[in-house]
Amino acid sequence: MENDIQHELRGAIVESDDLLDHLTDKSCKYVEGNTYVPALIRSGELLPPRGISIEDALRNPRANGWKWTNLPESLKESSAVQFLNRISVCLCGEAALHEFANLDDKATYPLLYGFDRILSSYQRMVGLRRKRFSPRDRPASQQNIQTGRTTTIKIAFLSLLKYVRGLKRSQLWRRFAIGLYMTGSVCGVVRADQSGVEDTHFTLQSTDGVIRLIRLLVWLSMGDRESFGFDPSFGLERNRTPLPLRGTRETLEYIGWDIATITCGNKTLKVDSLIYNGVSICGRGTRVFRVYEAYDEAKTNPYALKILWEDIGRDHPEAFFHDLAISRNVGHVLLAAESHRYAYDTTLHGIRGYDNGAAGSYSSTLQIENRREARILLPYHAPLREFTNIDGLVRDLIGAIKGHQSLYEASILHRDVSERNILLGKDDSVDEGFIIDLDMASLCEIPDDCSPSTLDTKEHYGKQQMKMEGGPLTDASPSRKRIHQVLDSSHASEPESLDGDFLLERKGHKGHRTGTIPYMACDILLEKGPHELRHDLESFFYVLFLIPFTYDSPLPRRQYVTWKPKISEWCRGDMRTCGNLKRGLMMDRDQVLELLTEDTAKGWREEQETFLEYLGLVWRIYSILRPIVWMSDRADESNSLHHKDLLEPMTQWLGETSASRKIPMEILRKHVPAYYYSINR
């Protein structure tokens, strides 16, 4: 990052001269002798070293003694922003394109698909104060750079990271995000891509810091959109959103952006809606859009476009498993043909500027993952949350389990069973569902049919894996991530405390590449051995188990609800804590039924007939899994799970009458007497 400041922040290693030598008189009307310093001297913002003439100082801009005339003694957020904008205008004049903005200014986000959805999550993350602003405020497109809260360096840095995370989540057309913080007399710069965070800081009262700040502000004020991470393959359109002010009848207009089109290869796809947004500071950052091809005016043939940043350190990318699955004719799995897969540049090469050889050394030395952007176009199917009724939910789960079985028989273990990776059939009242997402898949054995579309393309996909006894092959990716690249000794230690989702992102579950919290099997959370078939089957149970905790009703048009504490604890803290909590709960039949009858959404319990049928199915499967999964330290061949252990009770349940589907009353009376008597009054 220190090199970036010297070279327009365009890459960690680039062969270019100083920024001051790059910019010409056409770039800025204040340029004299290829330097911006005279403009600041004339305006009175900058004083040259005492006792040195201006001419000599300009010939040696690094001479000791440069000082800022109007640097505020206490850099409160508003004064810091005023200081930065004043210098930017002085340096760039009418050529300035971008202005700085306060951290608590909602207009800093060009929001996607509605203001309220992003605002609610951002308020919880940063603690936004509601602030009135008018349509005359700066357009959101000009507010690309952000200053952090004024406090200690550590807190300012962490506050800015929270902002950057929100920025990447709301501006889905960004490949990376840049932020600036000021505190005391220190200025810091942060850049975050899917490999992690780079940062550096310098004092504004040092000679070198003065020159750095000048270079930095010129670039931040005049850089183009791609320099700030904008991906030109995204086509944007204006979105005007009315903002009702609480307690008043006044409505203000917010001007933001929507994504209109996305280009993949030679295809231009029209974006209909955002299906899933898993963007984070570091990781795969998966986004899924519902799209149509440009010629499909009637929108009769929808697709799901998945965009992610895959770890190139894995032996096989997701495309390899698509090819292998297609060659082995798997069923109930949505797969992309080769013409519907697209690979783009990597974080270390395309964003940070390393050549391919240096990128590998850089990744190994700093223990970070070099990630490549991949795009996959799949047939569109509705997500599991849109199931029509409880029967449809079960049919869709059956289809997904069959798809998992078909993959397993083709030597592919999925390893990321979760609700979002299960889709509905075309008509879930009669059709069965599908399983998707092979990004975390691994091989169970070396395939025998090394067809040209699979293992023979070793140079394209990566090195061949070796078989492990007792379980599936691992993917050779590191078990932990380090998202914060330390480039300055003052940032060498990890933050002392950090709360909420941000803590999980830095130190928690995402670093263990074997599933999605909270659907991961207990033994995987506890890191007991390699990921095996039984762990995925345990995850299918959690998908079924968590449905009434996640949605307010079994009826259509359901909404998300907040998990109660006992469930939310499954995805807080370190992995071992979560695994022990989950396992301890699942071992106790009383606790399981108590949780289901007390902490599930009220709308489910009010639909009593449906809820009792649901409890009956959960109890059947739980009774099969309990002695094998949660009461046993290790599953051997005679005490392991198979697909039929889930498929048979679910298929049998579908064929029964309502009365036989329901959980037996004696079970409720024995384990949850309070609930039993409440429904039998």
Side-chain angles (χ1 to χ4, degrees):
M1 179 61 79
E2 293 186 17
N3 283 336
D4 291 346
I5 294 175
Q6 302 295 331
H7 306 291
E8 304 184 68
L9 295 173
R10 291 180 185 272
I13 295 180
V14 290
E15 293 184 1
S16 64
D17 295 326
D18 205 316
L19 171 63
L20 302 180
D21 298 327
H22 269 295
L23 297 174
T24 64
D25 291 346
K26 296 180 181 179
S27 303
C28 174
K29 66 179 182 181
Y30 287 107
V31 174
E32 292 181 12
N34 287 336
T35 178
Y36 289 91
V37 175
L40 295 171
I41 295 175
R42 285 198 304 270
S43 67
E45 294 288 347
L46 186 63
L47 292 178
R50 183 177 299 179
I52 301 179
S53 67
I54 294 179
E55 290 76 12
D56 291 340
L58 291 177
R59 281 193 290 268
N60 183 20
R62 296 188 182 278
N64 292 326
W66 292 98
K67 289 185 179 180
W68 295 108
T69 315
N70 299 311
L71 180 66
E73 293 183 3
S74 175
L75 283 177
K76 293 183 179 180
E77 201 164 350
S78 57
S79 60
V81 170
Q82 292 173 4
F83 172 71
L84 294 173
N85 282 325
R86 188 170 63 246
I87 295 176
S88 297
V89 171
C90 180
L91 289 170
C92 306
E94 297 175 358
L97 301 177
H98 310 294
E99 293 179 313
F100 297 86
N102 294 333
L103 188 63
D104 64 349
D105 188 346
K106 294 195 298 291
T108 56
Y109 281 179
L111 301 177
L112 180 66
Y113 302 123
F115 177 81
D116 293 334
R117 183 187 308 177
I118 302 298
L119 176 61
S120 60
S121 61
Y122 183 52
Q123 280 181 317
R124 291 194 300 270
M125 183 167 54
V126 182
L128 264 178
R129 299 186 300 273
R130 290 191 68 85
K131 178 181 177 182
R132 296 188 182 191
F133 57 94
S134 70
R136 294 190 300 274
D137 282 350
R138 295 186 300 270
S141 60
Q142 292 183 350
Q143 298 169 350
N144 289 287
I145 310 303
Q146 188 66 39
T147 60
R149 296 169 183 255
T150 302
T151 178
T152 67
I153 295 177
K154 175 190 284 189
I155 297 176
F157 171 74
L158 294 179
S159 296
L160 187 59
L161 283 190
K162 290 181 179 180
Y163 167 81
V164 166
R165 184 178 189 271
L167 189 69
K168 288 166 65 66
R169 179 173 291 276
S170 62
Q171 297 183 359
L172 301 183
W173 50 85
R174 283 187 182 268
R175 301 172 69 230
F176 59 91
I178 292 178
L180 172 68
Y181 65 85
M182 298 185 69
T183 177
S185 61
V186 173
C187 178
V189 188
V190 167
R191 179 177 61 189
D193 57 39
Q194 297 305 135
S195 284
V197 175
E198 290 184 292
D199 75 282
T200 187
H201 64 256
F202 51 87
T203 176
L204 303 179
Q205 295 178 339
S206 69
T207 297
D208 189 57
V210 170
I211 303 301
R212 286 189 181 191
L213 182 63
I214 294 172
R215 291 179 174 132
L216 178 64
L217 293 187
V218 170
W219 182 82
L220 293 178
S221 300
M222 300 180 64
D224 57 23
R225 293 195 302 174
E226 293 185 37
S227 303
F228 294 126
F230 176 78
D231 187 337
S233 67
F234 285 76
L236 305 183
E237 62 183 7
R238 284 288 191 181
N239 171 32
R240 298 177 179 271
T241 306
L243 297 180
L245 294 178
R246 291 180 182 176
T248 71
R249 296 183 179 180
E250 185 179 4
T251 300
L252 300 180
E253 185 180 60
Y254 177 82
I255 301 175
W257 297 92
D258 277 344
I259 299 176
T261 62
I262 302 176
T263 301
C264 293
N266 59 358
K267 299 181 188 298
T268 298
L269 304 169
K270 296 185 295 184
V271 176
D272 180 66
S273 61
L274 175 66
I275 300 174
Y276 176 77
N277 181 9
V279 171
S280 57
I281 286 184
C282 176
R284 292 183 297 166
T286 304
R287 295 151 288 166
V288 184
F289 299 90
R290 180 184 169 106
V291 298
Y292 298 87
E293 295 204 50
Y295 62 81
D296 189 2
E297 297 291 341
K299 298 183 177 182
T300 56
N301 189 27
Y303 290 91
L305 174 62
K306 175 183 176 181
I307 303 176
L308 74 156
W309 291 83
E310 58 188 11
D311 178 12
I312 68 171
R314 293 196 62 195
D315 285 341
H316 302 303
E318 183 171 1
F320 165 83
F321 294 104
H322 280 255
D323 281 346
L324 181 58
I326 290 172
S327 70
R328 294 192 168 186
N329 299 314
V330 301
H332 288 281
V333 183
L334 292 184
L335 300 169
E338 185 177 356
S339 60
H340 285 175
R341 301 195 298 266
Y342 313 91
Y344 294 85
D345 218 337
T346 64
T347 50
L348 299 189
H349 179 265
I351 295 177
R352 303 194 185 189
Y354 282 88
D355 59 38
N356 291 330
S361 173
Y362 181 79
S363 177
S364 175
T365 301
L366 293 173
Q367 299 178 353
I368 62 174
E369 297 167 358
N370 188 12
R371 293 185 169 273
R372 173 178 52 233
E373 185 184 23
R375 300 183 182 184
I376 300 175
L377 197 61
L378 298 163
Y380 175 80
H381 284 256
L384 186 65
R385 66 174 179 269
E386 296 182 15
F387 63 89
T388 54
N389 50 44
I390 192 71
D391 286 36
L393 170 65
V394 175
R395 262 188 294 270
D396 294 313
L397 284 173
I398 288 175
I401 296 170
K402 288 180 178 179
H404 187 279
Q405 182 178 15
S406 184
L407 285 170
Y408 191 69
E409 291 170 352
S411 301
I412 301 171
L413 183 61
H414 189 279
R415 300 200 314 162
D416 190 15
V417 174
S418 63
E419 183 201 320
R420 67 180 176 86
N421 286 337
I422 299 174
L423 302 181
L424 306 185
K426 284 295 185 181
D427 181 356
D428 76 329
S429 62
V430 293
D431 297 330
E432 296 174 343
F434 296 84
I435 192 169
I436 60 169
D437 193 355
L438 302 180
D439 183 51
M440 289 190 182
S442 67
L443 290 171
C444 302
E445 64 179 8
I446 298 298
D448 297 324
D449 56 338
C450 296
S451 61
S453 62
T454 58
L455 284 177
D456 278 350
T457 55
K458 177 180 174 181
E459 294 182 358
H460 175 72
Y461 288 119
K463 60 184 179 181
Q464 191 173 2
Q465 293 180 338
M466 301 300 294
K467 187 173 183 179
M468 293 175 56
E469 294 297 329
L473 301 180
T474 61
D475 65 356
S477 58
S479 61
R480 302 284 186 195
K481 298 178 186 175
R482 179 183 178 185
I483 77 162
H484 177 211
Q485 176 197 338
V486 177
L487 291 176
D488 195 294
S489 59
S490 61
H491 285 162
S493 60
E494 288 290 340
E496 295 175 358
S497 63
L498 206 59
D499 58 352
D501 294 338
F502 195 60
L503 176 62
L504 293 180
E505 185 176 336
R506 286 180 65 86
K507 292 187 174 181
H509 309 290
K510 291 187 180 181
H512 195 65
R513 298 175 58 83
T514 48
T516 300
I517 299 298
Y519 303 96
M520 287 167 63
C522 295
D523 283 354
I524 296 302
L525 292 170
L526 297 172
E527 299 183 282
K528 293 184 176 181
H531 199 126
E532 299 176 355
L533 171 62
R534 62 193 179 99
H535 298 131
D536 275 8
L537 297 181
E538 181 182 347
S539 294
F540 275 113
F541 172 78
Y542 295 135
V543 173
L544 176 65
F545 182 83
L546 289 173
I547 288 291
F549 296 94
T550 307
Y551 302 102
D552 62 353
S553 171
L555 304 177
R557 303 182 67 85
R558 61 189 63 86
Q559 301 292 324
Y560 287 106
V561 293
T562 303
W563 281 346
K564 297 294 180 63
K566 288 184 180 179
I567 293 295
S568 61
E569 286 174 354
W570 287 13
C571 46
R572 289 183 178 177
D574 61 80
M575 295 176 67
R576 188 166 296 276
T577 299
C578 292
N580 284 325
L581 284 171
K582 185 186 289 188
R583 182 170 188 147
L585 177 97
M586 287 296 164
M587 290 173 65
D588 191 324
R589 288 172 289 193
D590 291 356
Q591 282 196 61
V592 169
L593 281 178
E594 193 174 294
L595 193 67
L596 284 166
T597 55
E598 292 182 5
D599 286 5
T600 46
K602 183 180 179 181
W604 279 80
R605 285 176 275 126
E606 288 177 344
E607 296 292 328
Q608 186 173 304
E609 295 297 309
T610 298
F611 188 59
L612 290 175
E613 292 180 16
Y614 164 81
L615 290 179
L617 177 60
V618 170
W619 185 255
R620 293 187 197 188
I621 299 175
Y622 171 75
S623 299
I624 295 171
L625 268 60
R626 182 174 177 270
I628 302 174
V629 175
W630 302 295
M631 300 299 293
S632 173
D633 290 334
R634 182 171 180 81
D636 54 31
E637 190 65 29
S638 62
N639 190 30
S640 59
L641 281 177
H642 303 280
H643 293 92
K644 64 180 179 61
D645 295 324
L646 299 181
L647 291 173
E648 288 180 357
M650 297 175 79
T651 304
Q652 182 182 10
W653 182 92
L654 275 178
E656 294 177 353
T657 64
S658 176
S660 57
R661 286 180 176 183
K662 295 177 183 176
I663 187 170
M665 287 295 111
E666 58 269 21
I667 298 295
L668 295 179
R669 183 170 55 189
K670 178 180 179 181
H671 297 287
V672 281
Y675 178 73
Y676 169 79
Y677 289 114
S678 70
I679 64 174
N680 286 282
R681 290 174 181 173

